Amino acid sequence: MPPPRKAPRTIENTREADETIAQPDDGELHAEDATDEFSAHFNHEITPQLLITSSRWCSTITIKFIAELLKVLPNAHYYKRGSYEIKQIVKYAKNRNFTAIIIVHDNRKDPNGMLIICLPEGPTAHFKLSSLVLSKKIKGHGKPTSHLPELILNNFTTRIGHRVGRMMASLFPQQPNFRGRRVVTFHNQRDFIFFRHHRYIFEDKEASAKLKKGASKESDKKGDKPRKVPIISRLQECGPRFTLKLLSLQNGTFDTKFGEYEWVHKADMDTSRRRFFM
Amino acid sequence: MPRTDAVAPLGCPPLRALSFDSLGLIKVIENSTETGHPQVVARWGEPSSQRSIVSVSLSSDEDCEVLAVARRNLNVEILNPSSGALCSEVNVRSLNGNPPKNSEGMESAALIGVHLFRKEASGLRSVLTCTDSGIASLQRCSIQAVDSEGSNDDSSAVSWAVCKMGSISCMKVDGSEKYAAFGGDGAEVTLYDIQSQSSIWEAKPPRRDNNGLMSRPYVTASTFLGNDYRKLVIGTGHHQVRLYDIGARRRPMMAFDFLESPIKAVEADTDGNTVFVGTGNGDLASFDMRSGKLLGSFKGRVSGSIRSIAVHPILPVIAACGLDRFLRVFHKNTRQLLTRIFLKQPLVATVFDTKYPAALERPSGKAILGVDPEKDGQRSLVQMEGTEEEEEEDEPFENGAEDLLLTLGKAHKRKKSKKRRSADASKRKKGNPSTLDSVFEGVHERNQKGLMKECDEPEPVTKLRRTRKLKRKV
């Protein structure tokens, strides 16, 4: 009898102990969730309305990326950046009852930053954006339908993570249309948030095998007893695909001059590779 | 097996602190061991966003301590800091008959500051509150009368406007409790005589810079140096720290920039020279206000804006808290992180319970600390420090708290490698390595030519030692 196999040691399961990890039975956590900036969204009081814009003089790749974001995010509206300042845009969007602003920054024709400003009273998150793959580059990608997507938020464990997770959730309407079988994933791993957009289908194994073969033999009916058909699920990626890393979380709306930060990434935080903040 | 836990901070001396958060909770943090980490021992209040705490004030007399807590719903609660029992309640809304209005004429004015005065001869205490619209009100209330319902109607209230334009964001009352400084966004710092409710001094904006530009006044924090109301230090939203001498002139005696984010907290040390400055980006540093020199910054992975700094009157420790939900305790002189505790909510303010070590065991408190905590702890610390002669050297703690903290140093010593220790030893020229460790290295003797004198006969700040460069700047 061989000894039971040990679980492999990974960076994640040997991460530094963190006292800020949100506990599900914490009354204060629920009390804060009931009163924070996103509570109106989670109480079904408001539906998200998003304003998406780019940095000034953005590249065509950014425009393509925004076009794909518009397909992913329901109720999102693209506005040309023009030469407006972010504070002016915040004021404009507040007056028109938008619930969030997303600004995609680029550098040398390469989208490299994303700013999510929750309205009307913040918070503002600044992410580094990397590993962007547009739908067209994904092999066998599907075209998303306009059904409201489901949302998966993975591993947002600490209080900062919890807050960022709630912020991501507040970008999407709360009633997913399961008929659409569309799912948007924010997967956090080692403080990197991976964004994926998929379509799924459940079908019986044989039907899918037949489809693959292209054969159309319908003669194998074995009696009238309904038998247990093995069901398999298939997944198709719709895109885009990108990775976010939190750089700062600001209290209130965008204000780099007089703003206060709830969390800022600083150099002295990177002294251990087993320390994560989300 | 890789290291899966963070390096533990050193641990702090026995202390008791209270933290106040934006969900209206008050948490009591206590450490009774010599080099331990504090624990939350009590939580007062129910979470509610309406009861969010905006400002607190601890008034400590010889025999008792009383705490005033200003909440968002314009209520000021007066509590007993040792038990959390509600002594009295004042509603600022009911003071004026009509709710105070903010600068846009809306009724949603918010309290920004509260100060609880020392007990008067009649046994009553006064409470000074200020709203962001600039209405300061002074009310007298009795602490003993415990009526939990509503405010004390028999008390008299005086209110006056402290701001002509803009909004007020900070209020500070000096050590003698005669004057209060108000400042804010669009309002330069102004000193008011509390008795007559009249303005006695108003700051002038600094001169135009070399581009001919002026920045709009934006005072975010203020404090008085020592017990002298004439030495006022403010922090601005334009990341500048300014020292004013009220007796000398209306422009700052000294002004210097600190990093690039707005200054959110300024607190004076008990020695009357040093100030601790916290910013909206989570940077904490101490400055010597005689020269304007940065003494050093406090490291401890502070990741969120610092809202409040508390200086312990007896022990050489400070506590800082803010939006990153941690309360951190640092050593004042070595600037080392002693302990930190996660308190779950964005913190607004923190205060030390100054009576705590005495309450723990009163006789040993005297012996350990070398001072009688019942007497004025602040003054005695300064006086004892003033007798020291050596400079820039390993020297024992002047106030006698050294014995208490020596164990800390030993704990630290154990952690250090031999190599580092020998390097430390070579660095020291004539220090006594057997009595003190490098934890206490660089304990500065700052009081020889100190600013701080008795508050009765303040020395004019014009005698401040300033460098030539700084003179030019002013």
Side-chain angles (χ1 to χ4, degrees):
Chain A
M1 184 81 181
R5 205 175 156 179
K6 283 179 188 167
R9 231 167 33 209
T10 60
I11 296 261
E12 284 89 20
N13 62 24
T14 56
R15 77 184 268 183
E16 270 187 13
D18 193 343
E19 63 265 62
T20 71
I21 284 176
Q23 303 297 336
D25 56 345
D26 187 359
E28 278 186 46
L29 179 74
H30 299 300
E32 198 205 342
D33 284 355
T35 55
D36 72 353
E37 295 95 334
F38 312 112
S39 57
H41 172 263
F42 286 99
N43 293 339
H44 299 270
E45 283 160 18
I46 48 171
T47 49
Q49 290 285 332
L50 308 181
L51 189 155
I52 301 189
T53 187
S54 63
S55 53
R56 289 179 188 173
W57 319 115
C58 68
S59 67
T60 48
I61 297 166
T62 307
I63 296 292
K64 279 180 192 163
F65 174 50
I66 288 174
E68 295 200 352
L69 275 184
L70 289 172
K71 284 179 189 163
V72 176
L73 295 159
N75 302 336
H77 308 273
Y78 171 65
Y79 282 70
K80 276 188 187 171
R81 174 67 186 262
S83 60
Y84 292 108
E85 290 170 8
I86 295 180
K87 282 188 188 174
Q88 287 175 301
I89 299 172
V90 167
K91 214 172 169 185
Y92 175 92
K94 256 188 207 172
N95 289 337
R96 278 161 184 72
N97 291 332
F98 281 99
T99 59
I101 300 173
I102 298 177
I103 299 173
V104 180
H105 287 288
D106 61 7
N107 179 31
R108 301 188 173 205
K109 302 193 174 181
D110 175 29
N112 70 341
M114 187 186 267
L115 195 67
I116 301 179
I117 306 169
C118 295
L119 299 178
E121 52 210 16
T124 302
H126 185 205
F127 294 99
K128 181 176 82 178
L129 191 150
S130 57
S131 318
L132 172 66
V133 183
L134 297 179
S135 312
K136 212 177 169 183
K137 290 280 167 75
I138 296 170
K139 204 177 172 188
H141 71 94
K143 271 190 183 174
T145 54
S146 60
H147 295 87
L148 296 181
E150 298 159 46
L151 196 60
I152 297 174
L153 295 162
N154 274 349
N155 299 345
F156 290 96
T157 51
T158 63
R159 287 305 281 265
I160 290 292
H162 184 73
R163 208 157 153 74
V164 171
R166 278 172 75 83
M167 184 169 157
M168 294 301 188
S170 76
L171 302 177
F172 290 85
Q174 282 232 280
Q175 313 82 15
N177 194 337
F178 293 104
R179 196 165 285 275
R181 307 187 319 273
R182 249 181 96 187
V183 57
V184 170
T185 311
F186 290 93
H187 174 83
N188 172 36
Q189 192 168 357
R190 303 184 195 178
D191 283 356
F192 289 92
I193 301 168
F194 298 94
F195 174 92
R196 297 290 183 270
H197 181 204
H198 290 101
R199 256 187 338 177
Y200 61 84
I201 191 162
F202 294 119
E203 53 188 10
D204 48 351
K205 203 172 179 181
E206 288 169 13
S208 70
K210 257 183 245 165
L211 258 174
K212 261 185 192 168
K213 278 180 190 168
S216 56
K217 273 189 185 176
E218 288 179 32
S219 56
D220 46 348
K221 283 177 188 170
K222 285 173 187 171
D224 9 297
K225 213 178 172 186
R227 57 198 173 85
K228 250 190 178 175
V229 246
I231 300 279
I232 59 160
S233 61
R234 293 197 295 128
L235 209 59
Q236 183 182 33
E237 191 166 350
C238 297
R241 204 191 264 177
F242 57 87
T243 306
L244 299 172
K245 187 162 197 293
L246 186 67
L247 297 180
S248 71
L249 185 67
Q250 195 181 41
N251 188 28
T253 54
F254 181 83
D255 190 348
T256 47
K257 207 170 173 192
F258 302 120
E260 276 186 288
Y261 289 90
E262 287 176 34
W263 188 84
V264 201
H265 186 267
K266 287 183 179 172
D268 66 341
M269 294 172 177
D270 291 335
T271 48
S272 164
R273 60 197 289 253
R274 295 175 195 277
R275 183 185 304 138
F276 304 110
F277 296 96
M278 288 213 297
Chain B
M1 185 68 190
R3 181 169 61 81
T4 54
D5 54 337
V7 179
L10 296 172
C12 68
L15 51 82
R16 180 182 148 107
L18 285 91
S19 80
F20 305 87
D21 60 41
S22 60
L23 217 53
L25 303 173
I26 303 172
K27 287 175 188 158
V28 185
I29 299 122
E30 215 173 273
N31 174 31
S32 52
T33 54
E34 291 289 298
T35 55
H37 294 282
Q39 302 289 326
V40 178
V41 292
R43 200 187 87 174
W44 302 331
E46 284 305 310
S48 151
S49 63
Q50 280 307 304
R51 290 168 50 77
S52 165
I53 295 168
V54 288
S55 175
V56 294
S57 164
L58 181 79
S59 168
S60 101
D61 291 332
E62 278 85 43
D63 51 343
C64 64
E65 278 187 319
V66 187
L67 182 75
V69 178
R71 297 187 185 264
R72 195 167 161 194
N73 55 5
L74 299 174
N75 258 1
V76 179
E77 288 174 3
I78 294 163
L79 306 169
N80 180 352
S82 52
S83 67
L86 185 71
C87 300
S88 177
E89 203 170 356
V90 180
N91 195 331
V92 179
R93 191 181 289 270
S94 66
L95 280 184
N96 311 327
N98 50 344
K101 296 182 174 179
N102 67 12
S103 50
E104 281 104 44
M106 286 158 69
E107 288 194 4
S108 60
L111 279 176
I112 54 98
V114 65
H115 182 84
L116 187 63
F117 290 83
R118 283 192 281 269
K119 202 193 278 178
E120 293 165 22
S122 58
L124 297 176
R125 280 175 194 265
S126 300
V127 184
L128 177 68
T129 55
C130 182
T131 63
D132 62 348
S133 52
I135 296 171
S137 42
L138 186 68
Q139 195 187 21
R140 193 165 292 161
C141 62
S142 64
I143 304 299
Q144 273 72 28
V146 184
D147 56 326
S148 53
E149 291 301 312
S151 59
N152 305 17
D153 293 331
D154 55 339
S155 51
S156 57
V158 190
S159 65
W160 72 99
V162 291
C163 130
K164 296 177 201 105
M165 53 201 296
S167 63
I168 296 293
S169 56
C170 69
M171 177 186 93
K172 186 83 182 176
V173 175
D174 78 317
S176 62
E177 301 196 324
K178 285 181 187 154
Y179 306 95
F182 299 90
D185 187 4
E188 278 287 0
V189 62
T190 314
L191 201 72
Y192 277 81
D193 188 336
I194 297 171
Q195 288 306 314
S196 62
Q197 289 98 41
S198 58
S199 150
I200 57 165
W201 178 87
E202 189 181 0
K204 234 178 178 179
R207 290 211 163 78
R208 291 171 185 276
D209 64 3
N210 38 16
N211 293 320
L213 297 174
M214 288 180 87
S215 55
R216 133 185 124 124
Y218 193 174
V219 184
T220 49
S222 60
T223 187
F224 291 94
L225 281 185
N227 273 339
D228 186 2
Y229 78 97
R230 294 174 205 219
K231 286 159 204 150
L232 178 63
V233 179
I234 63 156
T236 70
H238 306 280
H239 50 87
Q240 205 173 47
V241 181
R242 293 182 193 152
L243 170 70
Y244 288 100
D245 182 1
I246 278 116
R249 59 181 180 192
R250 292 173 58 196
R251 288 225 162 91
M253 303 303 287
M254 182 165 53
F256 51 86
D257 282 354
F258 177 52
L259 299 180
E260 291 178 338
S261 48
I263 284 157
K264 288 287 171 187
V266 172
E267 198 61 49
D269 194 0
T270 45
D271 69 358
N273 299 324
T274 315
V275 292
F276 304 103
V277 175
T279 71
N281 215 349
D283 302 297
L284 182 64
S286 59
F287 284 91
D288 188 347
M289 289 314 286
R290 288 171 299 183
S291 57
K293 261 171 128 179
L294 174 73
L295 295 173
S297 57
F298 292 82
K299 304 279 184 204
R301 297 212 303 274
V302 189
S303 57
S305 168
I306 288 170
R307 283 276 179 91
S308 167
I309 302 167
V311 181
H312 200 285
I314 300 156
L315 296 171
V317 295
I318 63 163
C321 68
L323 294 186
D324 67 346
R325 300 159 195 242
F326 276 97
L327 179 90
R328 290 180 173 82
V329 178
F330 294 95
H331 195 288
K332 213 151 66 172
N333 301 326
T334 62
R335 296 182 292 279
Q336 235 163 356
L337 179 68
L338 297 182
T339 186
R340 59 175 205 164
I341 179 168
F342 179 62
L343 292 171
K344 296 184 182 176
Q345 304 299 333
L347 303 174
V348 175
T350 179
V351 292
F352 279 117
D353 189 346
T354 51
K355 296 273 189 284
Y356 175 65
L360 189 70
E361 34 189 328
R362 194 166 286 261
S364 81
K366 245 184 218 178
I368 289 172
L369 299 167
V371 290
D372 190 352
E374 294 222 305
K375 282 185 185 165
D376 192 357
Q378 290 186 354
R379 203 77 56 74
S380 53
L381 174 68
V382 171
Q383 283 164 356
M384 293 182 88
E385 279 190 351
T387 58
E388 279 293 320
E389 291 296 318
E390 298 159 338
E391 212 167 348
E392 296 293 325
E393 210 188 277
D394 273 349
E395 56 200 21
F397 276 114
E398 302 81 6
N399 56 6
E402 140 225 6
D403 299 334
L404 190 69
L405 278 163
L406 201 63
T407 39
L408 277 185
K410 279 175 187 161
H412 178 68
K413 202 173 183 175
R414 256 177 266 129
K415 278 173 196 162
K416 287 181 94 176
S417 69
K418 267 187 183 173
K419 195 179 164 188
R420 174 76 192 276
R421 220 186 301 164
S422 63
D424 281 346
S426 65
K427 224 192 282 174
R428 282 189 229 117
K429 277 169 192 169
K430 32 182 179 168
N432 187 0
S434 63
T435 55
L436 269 184
D437 193 64
S438 60
V439 187
F440 307 119
E441 211 170 45
V443 175
H444 296 298
E445 206 295 302
R446 297 198 199 92
N447 290 289
Q448 289 183 4
K449 300 159 192 128
L451 293 175
M452 187 162 164
K453 291 278 165 357
E454 289 295 308
C455 60
D456 305 337
E457 33 172 327
E459 177 195 9
V461 189
T462 36
K463 282 184 191 166
L464 277 179
R465 195 177 61 188
R466 268 173 288 143
T467 61
R468 181 177 288 267
K469 195 176 160 191
L470 281 159
K471 250 182 204 166
R472 226 188 298 135
K473 208 171 183 180
V474 170

